[in-house]
């Protein structure tokens, strides 16, 4: 058998990276070897990946020299940053999450270039700013951002292009797993199940977390032919009413969709309400562009096990609070 090609996976103990590592290790062809990068090789998740056969290597996106070493000999590198990593108020003031993501993405892009990596997959998101009108009253963050966790990643796209390393831009949508907590249906005063979501009447794509990693694996298998391509992962594209109907079918009890407007979300006052409201407004305003980006045929080729929402619910119905 020819020598295995190493795929270095940043964030290997997270949802996206972990899914990719497991997909590599489950592949019977043995074409690739998984190098799982983590800041804490002694964590339970890291040790679990090592037991499955991954090479676990300590690496930190803030350590450019360490990244170059971790990327040496790798054919491909999967890069994801964590905007939502818990941080103190002082840390956020000193180095905003968007600044941190840009710096980390730059470190990874340059390290891959210097290490001779042949293929990047960068886990990115869309730039939402073109979908907001100047003076429309929506809040702006960090001077320019409307949805910082998306817009910052979109800005980082250019860093991978500038590296000269062939890069595929992988884009996740709403997670099915959100219906296990913040999107879970709630009981109203009559005891009926209600799905309160800010999707309006828009069709909103979603996918299982593990399908992001499986799709990334499919991209590495396909190779550099997908360089420069933006691959948007979605197992289902449904309206709020359709998500409610699917939940009702799985739970054996009717679920009614009650849309919540972006303005209501922004006025709710919880931490991050402004950004969440803006994100939902983007999903509604940009609906057609978001849906048009999804290539269902390509996704099924890259990930034959891609799960629809109904399929996912069939095995996760007991995890939906109701």
């Amino acid at each position: 058998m020819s020598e295995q090609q190493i795929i270095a996976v940043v964030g290997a103990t997270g949802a996206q990276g972990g899914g990719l590592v497991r997909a590599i290790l489950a592949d019977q062809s043995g074409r690739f070897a998984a190098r799982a990068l983590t800041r804490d090789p002694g964590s339970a998740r890291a040790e679990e990946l090592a037991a499955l056969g991954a090479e676990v290597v300590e690496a930190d996106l803030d350590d450019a020299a360490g990244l170059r070493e971790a990327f040496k000999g790798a054919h491909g590198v999967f890069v994801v940053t964590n905007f939502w990593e818990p941080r103190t108020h002082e840390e956020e003031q000193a180095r905003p999450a968007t600044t941190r993501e840009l710096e980390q993405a730059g470190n990874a892009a340059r390290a891959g270039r210097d290490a001779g990596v042949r293929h990047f997959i960068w886990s990115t998101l869309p730039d939402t700013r073109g979908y907001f009108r100047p003076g429309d009253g929506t809040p702006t963050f960090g001077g320019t951002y409307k949805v910082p966790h998306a817009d910052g990643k979109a800005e980082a796209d250019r860093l991978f292009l500038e590296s000269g390393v062939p890069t595929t831009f992988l884009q996740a949508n709403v997670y099915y797993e959100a219906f296990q907590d913040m999107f879970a249906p709630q009981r109203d005063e009559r005891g009926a199940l209600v799905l309160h979501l800010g999707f309006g009447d828009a069709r909103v794509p979603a996918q299982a977390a593990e399908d992001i990693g499986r799709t990334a694996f499919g991209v590495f298998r396909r190779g550099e032919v997908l360089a420069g391509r933006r691959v948007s992962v979605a197992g289902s594209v449904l309206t709020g009413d359709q998500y409610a109907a699917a939940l009702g079918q799985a739970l054996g009890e009717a679920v009614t969709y009650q849309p919540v407007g972006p303005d209501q979300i922004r006025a709710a006052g919880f931490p991050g309400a402004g950004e969440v409201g803006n994100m939902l407004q983007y999903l509604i305003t940009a609906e057609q562009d978001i849906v048009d980006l999804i290539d269902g045929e390509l996704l099924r080729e890259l990930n034959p096990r891609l799960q629809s929402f109904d399929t996912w619910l069939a095995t996760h119905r007991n995890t939906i609070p109701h």
Side-chain angles (χ1 to χ4, degrees):
M1 186 175 69
S2 60
E3 185 176 353
Q4 288 181 306
Q5 294 177 323
I6 295 171
I7 303 297
V9 182
V10 174
T13 58
Q16 295 190 20
L20 173 55
V21 171
R22 286 176 169 78
I24 294 170
L25 297 176
D27 178 37
Q28 295 185 355
S29 76
R31 175 181 170 187
F32 299 110
R35 179 179 292 168
L37 308 186
T38 175
R39 287 179 302 179
D40 184 6
S43 70
R45 289 184 178 180
E47 290 179 351
E48 180 182 347
L49 295 177
L52 291 173
E55 174 194 9
V56 176
V57 173
E58 183 174 358
D60 190 323
L61 283 168
D62 287 321
D63 178 5
L67 283 178
R68 284 194 298 272
E69 190 65 29
F71 290 171
K72 280 184 179 178
H75 168 82
V77 174
F78 175 84
V79 182
V80 62
T81 53
N82 184 6
F83 179 92
W84 302 109
E85 182 175 356
R87 306 168 74 213
T88 66
H89 176 73
E90 290 73 22
E91 288 173 330
E92 177 63 23
Q93 291 296 111
R95 189 188 185 202
T98 47
T99 300
R100 180 172 176 268
E101 282 197 303
L102 282 166
E103 291 174 350
Q104 290 182 338
N107 287 341
R110 290 184 291 271
R113 176 199 63 199
D114 295 345
V117 168
R118 299 291 300 277
H119 189 185
F120 270 129
I121 295 178
W122 162 234
S123 178
T124 188
L125 287 170
D127 193 325
T128 71
R129 288 170 285 189
Y131 295 91
F132 293 85
R133 299 187 309 276
D136 66 0
T138 58
T140 299
F141 306 93
T144 63
Y145 302 113
K146 286 296 184 178
V147 183
H149 76 270
D151 301 339
K153 282 185 170 67
E155 277 193 3
D157 289 358
R158 64 176 174 79
L159 301 173
F160 290 91
L161 292 171
E162 291 168 359
S163 76
V165 177
T167 300
T168 304
F169 300 91
L170 190 69
Q171 183 174 305
N173 287 287
V174 172
Y175 285 78
Y176 293 157
E177 285 77 7
F179 290 92
Q180 296 172 323
D181 41 61
M182 63 179 176
F183 286 177
Q186 305 291 323
R187 299 274 176 193
D188 66 12
E189 65 279 0
R190 296 176 291 106
L193 284 174
V194 178
L195 185 64
H196 298 284
L197 286 180
F199 293 174
D201 296 325
R203 296 163 294 163
V204 176
Q207 78 289 305
E210 61 188 338
D211 278 323
I212 302 168
R214 289 174 181 168
T215 303
F217 176 61
V219 171
F220 279 127
R221 284 193 302 180
R222 183 68 67 86
E224 296 168 31
V225 68
L226 290 176
R229 182 79 178 261
R230 184 172 292 266
V231 178
S232 181
V233 185
S236 287
V237 181
L238 305 175
T239 65
D241 279 324
Q242 290 170 325
Y243 281 113
L247 284 164
Q249 182 68 29
L251 299 175
E253 180 179 354
V255 178
T256 302
Y257 173 53
Q258 289 188 0
V260 181
D263 286 338
Q264 291 175 269
I265 298 293
R266 285 187 284 257
F270 59 83
E275 178 175 358
V276 173
N278 283 3
M279 178 187 69
L280 294 171
Q281 182 168 326
Y282 162 74
L283 291 177
I284 295 168
T285 305
E287 173 193 5
Q288 193 61 55
D289 288 346
I290 295 169
V291 173
D292 285 349
L293 185 61
I294 298 163
D295 185 335
E297 182 177 353
L298 174 64
L299 289 174
R300 287 186 291 273
E301 291 174 0
L302 296 174
N303 177 14
R305 298 173 63 190
L306 183 67
Q307 301 165 84
S308 70
F309 190 47
D310 287 335
T311 301
W312 181 83
L313 281 172
T315 56
H316 293 83
R317 63 169 64 91
N318 292 334
T319 69
I320 307 295
H322 60 283

